[in-house]
Amino acid sequence: MAWLEALLDRKRLVLTLAFLISVTGLFAWMTMTRQEDPRMPHYWGQAVAVFPGADAEMVERLVLEPVEDALAEVEDVKTVESTAYAETAVIQIDLDESVDDTDEAWSDVRQALAAAHREFPAGVGLPVLNDKLSSDHDAVVLALTGSPDPLELLAAARTLRKGLLDVGDVARVRIIGDPGEQVTIELDDAAARRTGLSAGALAAQLGQRTRILAGGTLSLGDRTVRLRPLSELESVEEIAASPIRLPSGATVPLAELARVRIGPREPAGERMRFNGEIAVGLGIVAKEKVNAVRFGDAVRARIDALAPEVAPIDVQTVAFQPQRVASRLAQLNESLLFGILIVAGVVILAMGLRLGMVVASVVPLVAFAGLAVFAIGGGVLHQISIAAVVLALGMLVDNAIVVAENVQWRLDRGASPRAASLAAVKELAVPLAAATGTTVAAFLPMLLSQSGTADFTRSIPVVVIITLTMSYVFAVTVTPILARMTLRPGSSRATALTARAGGLLSRLAVGRTRWVIAAAVVLVVGSGAAAGLVRQQFFPGADRNQFVIDLELPEGAHLDATD
């Protein structure tokens, strides 16, 4: 190990490199992409097909059955769950969680849906597939209130939507509770009887007038000018002034025969209320792999800038995930800081000040160095990756403890600091590599497993393996150098508490060997027997101060009844 000996003699170089990579990790900690949860692969999708005029039985027989037959031939599809409603077919599609390329799998699904569409009756639309259900959720939900007129709320929502789409990290903005717009023409019964004009004849005339017609072109010198006939009615006033030809041949404005008004679409398809008030909402979807905190700041600033343009409409926040992300990560950051302090306090208490400080100083260096490697590899900070760093704190300190204690043991027996550090590394490099490798191997099944759960927790083995590897590198390079510079013979004197506790435990272990072994066996067997009594749960229940109530009325219930 001549190269390792030469490396340990270059103290400034090693410490500078260790400091730089740790500072890089600290900088990455402050600037990395932040999310609440890991992004899941797109294993789940939903397809919707519309069959106007059909009841649920016809939808099932003529739409769902061909779709199910076509999807059965797609190898990567795991399950298909279909529901037939009046005029609508909804198909939930789950891919096999072992699929590596979900984009290719969804392409096969689209081809299958297109093949099924060729068997549909006339009038059934091509099924619309949404294959981004795992990521296509609203990061921010706004409610616009302050007016009893839904169209005024809709106009404000459209203004906000247009402005929010200019924010770089916004992928999509959808209108929630969209009342729609509809021009209603109410034919006066008395006028219809007097003139002999029927509602059907009136509708036919207006339909002819609003068609988009080709107007041809004119050649003017070297240019061609396209003519556009003025056949499009652009306002309620223009519609009301439209000339209507009566059966007698006379022509009168539409306003003399009917009342023309613009209002919400009837019948309504959806409605929204916020705190009991009529509202129109906006759901803002963020792009994938976006920093949720910065995204929230940009959206908030844009909303504040647009608020005067929609006044007096009130813009209120229904849900703001970036704020929850910031709060959650702040709590985990505190947990990481406290974890480092607790580990440092324990080693100083148990090993003495000098020896404890050598070991404790390596903990943040290794933690941030591991974060640097994780960030360079495209890692994202979320509650799983930060929890993995906290988990690794208790393991990364072991290598440093062994090396520092070995250096101290040699110093206490008269070796020079240089000789003690070199001898410790030569003795421990291979055993520590084996010990670290076995711990890394324990996390490999978690790293290599394929399932939705594995994808969600993938960062745990990644972060732990990176951190343990960095702890070994630092143990054979940085720790012996710090020990050489800091430790002195006798600096491992234990505190009175640890000396008393250690003496008591050692006397118990040596004097009552059989009892100690028997107790250990009983504890192991008892723990194994009681393991089945432990309730199994992937994650603790959500602790958010919100909940959702789904209220479903019988199929066919009117929207007014639900409202």
Side-chain angles (χ1 to χ4, degrees), residues 349-350 493-503:
L349 179 65
R493 284 192 291 271
T495 62
L497 175 62
T498 54
R500 189 178 299 110

Side-chain angles (χ1 to χ4, degrees), residues 254-481:
L254 176 61
E256 294 187 9
L257 302 172
R259 178 184 172 220
V260 182
R261 60 181 175 85
I262 187 170
R265 182 177 56 247
E266 297 176 1
E270 58 178 329
R271 292 177 188 163
M272 178 181 180
R273 292 183 183 274
F274 184 71
N275 289 335
E277 295 185 56
I278 295 175
V280 172
L282 287 177
I284 306 171
V285 180
K287 294 180 179 178
E288 292 190 36
K289 297 183 179 180
V290 70
N291 189 318
V293 178
R294 284 202 296 264
F295 166 78
D297 293 339
V299 169
R300 183 85 73 183
R302 191 61 176 162
I303 293 172
D304 293 341
L306 294 171
E309 297 184 24
V310 299
I313 300 300
D314 297 325
V315 182
Q316 305 186 64
T317 302
V318 179
F320 201 82
Q321 189 186 32
Q323 183 177 354
R324 294 188 179 276
V325 173
S327 175
R328 179 63 173 160
L329 294 186
Q331 294 175 1
L332 290 170
N333 290 346
E334 292 178 4
S335 299
L336 178 59
L337 176 60
F338 284 139
I340 292 175
L341 294 177
I342 290 171
V343 171
V346 169
V347 296
I348 291 174
L349 179 65
M351 306 178 70
L353 181 60
R354 281 182 178 268
L355 189 56
M357 287 299 295
V358 170
V359 175
S361 62
V362 176
V363 174
L365 292 177
V366 173
F368 288 119
L371 275 173
V373 177
F374 182 60
I376 292 172
V380 176
L381 276 186
H382 42 64
Q383 60 178 344
I384 303 301
S385 58
I386 297 178
V389 177
V390 177
L391 174 67
L393 287 178
M395 294 183 281
L396 67 86
V397 75
D398 294 343
N399 291 336
I401 289 176
V402 173
V403 172
E405 196 278 332
N406 191 286
V407 173
Q408 182 63 60
W409 182 82
R410 295 178 184 279
L411 289 174
D412 292 342
R413 281 151 182 77
S416 65
R418 181 179 183 277
S421 60
L422 291 176
V425 172
K426 290 180 180 179
E427 179 183 349
L428 297 174
V430 174
L432 286 182
T436 303
T438 56
T439 309
V440 167
F443 283 88
L444 286 179
M446 192 175 182
L447 177 67
L448 300 176
S449 60
Q450 293 181 327
S451 67
T453 301
D455 290 322
F456 192 81
T457 59
R458 185 81 65 200
S459 58
I460 292 180
V462 170
V463 170
V464 170
I465 290 173
I466 291 174
T467 305
L468 288 178
T469 304
M470 295 304 297
S471 75
Y472 173 75
V473 173
F474 274 57
V476 297
T477 55
V478 177
T479 303
I481 292 176

